[in-house]
Amino acid sequence: MKFCSLSSGSSGNCQYIETDKVRILIDAGFSGRKVEDLLSSIGVCPSTIDCIFVTHEHMDHIKGVGVLSRRYDIPIFANEGTWINMSSKIGEIDNKNIKIIHTDKDFEIADLGVHPFKIFHDACDPVGYIFFYKNIKITIMTDTGWVNNEMKNIIKGSSLYLLESNHDVNMLKYGKYPWYLKKRILSTKGHLSNDDAGRVLSQVLLGNGEIILLAHLSQENNIPYLAHETVGSFVKDCGINIHKDITLDLTYRDRATKVYSL
């Protein structure tokens, strides 16, 4: 199984997963051409993408979804609430490529198991995704202002976590954003801070070689080094060596990460 974060941030989000039988995207928040370029940067032809999974209807997650579906005849998977709220934004989609899924209901695509789970964000019915392949489990969880115990139990035991580490609280509080936007980001339907990400990971990691990719870092209210250090300190405090027991890496807003093989 292969995973790559093609890009993650407020300007656009797109993740890639590959198994022996299927190639998928999670979100496509850039122009079709930009997504094609990102895929080409890791040696993947866009015409080989089998389906696109959508987490929620915000434009930094859906901008290229419709274009790619029409250009390459790709099915789009999203729950009903997301479909209702994104349909007018992505253009006309062939009926056979409209795939409605149900939050918290498992299903399969070829050799890949999929579990969409509820998250907390200011969208209609946003979800994170867990993907299962043989004994491998991958969690995709960004754009959530809160992680409750049920979510922690669901994601625990993953081989790879793509987890939001959006902002440093002090940078956000004392930064130049207007108060209404600061309030939104800090709310339980906003985004996870570095501290939040660290706390979540300290409660779900086992120290068994997991890969953690910190995602959706704010350009204005975070610094990659700070995100890595803050999250790393929480993980170290729970007895896990971030240099030996796990891999703690970052995603990028302007380019792909390396391709991780699991």
Side-chain angles (χ1 to χ4, degrees):
M1 190 178 194
K2 296 179 180 179
F3 177 86
C4 178
S5 175
L6 296 174
S7 185
S8 183
S10 58
S11 56
N13 297 271
C14 190
Q15 320 303 327
Y16 173 78
I17 290 177
E18 176 184 330
T19 69
D20 290 339
K21 296 183 179 180
V22 71
R23 291 179 169 185
I24 69 167
L25 296 179
I26 303 96
D27 295 329
F30 298 94
S31 68
R33 175 60 61 85
K34 175 67 173 177
V35 175
E36 291 169 344
D37 289 345
L38 288 167
L39 284 167
S40 295
S41 75
I42 61 168
V44 175
C45 179
S47 64
T48 65
I49 298 299
D50 295 293
C51 53
I52 302 172
F53 292 89
V54 178
T55 59
H56 64 290
E57 71 272 14
H58 290 167
M59 286 303 292
D60 59 325
H61 294 260
I62 66 166
K63 184 176 181 180
V65 167
V67 172
L68 293 167
S69 179
R70 288 185 290 274
R71 188 172 292 167
Y72 300 105
D73 195 27
I74 301 174
I76 303 167
F77 289 78
N79 60 34
E80 186 174 14
T82 300
W83 267 113
I84 290 171
N85 283 273
M86 76 174 177
S87 293
S88 63
K89 303 175 184 177
I90 65 173
E92 188 174 352
I93 303 298
D94 193 310
N95 283 336
K96 68 181 174 63
N97 287 329
I98 298 174
K99 306 293 185 181
I100 298 177
I101 64 175
H102 302 280
T103 304
D104 295 320
K105 185 174 181 179
D106 294 352
F107 61 100
E108 293 182 354
I109 300 293
D111 56 356
L112 189 66
V114 185
H115 177 76
F117 63 97
K118 176 180 174 60
I119 60 174
F120 296 90
H121 195 52
D122 56 352
C124 180
D125 189 8
V127 297
Y129 285 103
I130 298 174
F131 297 96
F132 300 92
Y133 175 71
K134 297 181 179 178
N135 64 337
I136 300 166
K137 176 180 178 181
I138 289 179
T139 288
I140 309 293
M141 187 169 69
T142 67
D143 295 74
T144 187
W146 182 39
V147 181
N148 61 21
N149 288 333
E150 182 179 357
M151 293 162 70
K152 292 171 191 172
N153 290 334
I154 289 171
I155 69 174
K156 193 170 186 176
S158 295
S159 309
L160 182 148
Y161 296 87
L162 181 88
L163 180 68
E164 179 169 61
S165 189
N166 176 256
H167 59 277
D168 173 80
V169 172
N170 285 328
M171 286 183 69
L172 176 62
K173 284 184 175 179
Y174 298 105
K176 62 183 182 181
Y177 278 11
W179 171 241
Y180 79 88
L181 185 53
K182 293 178 182 181
K183 187 176 180 181
R184 170 190 175 264
I185 294 169
L186 291 166
S187 76
T188 55
K189 290 190 175 182
H191 293 276
L192 294 182
S193 69
N194 296 337
D195 288 349
D196 293 330
R199 291 188 191 99
V200 170
L201 289 169
S202 69
Q203 294 175 57
V204 301
L205 289 179
L206 304 175
N208 290 337
E210 299 100 320
I211 298 167
I212 300 98
L213 300 178
L214 302 181
H216 217 299
L217 272 68
S218 170
Q219 191 170 25
E220 295 289 336
N221 302 303
N222 212 346
I223 302 169
Y225 172 81
L226 180 59
H228 191 280
E229 287 297 301
T230 303
V231 171
S233 67
F234 276 92
V235 174
K236 286 186 285 187
D237 286 347
C238 70
I240 292 175
N241 187 316
I242 65 169
H243 302 294
K244 294 181 179 179
D245 300 331
I246 63 170
T247 298
L248 180 61
D249 283 342
L250 298 164
T251 61
Y252 310 102
R253 62 190 301 113
D254 58 350
R255 66 187 189 278
T257 64
K258 72 176 186 179
V259 177
Y260 295 84
S261 295
L262 296 96

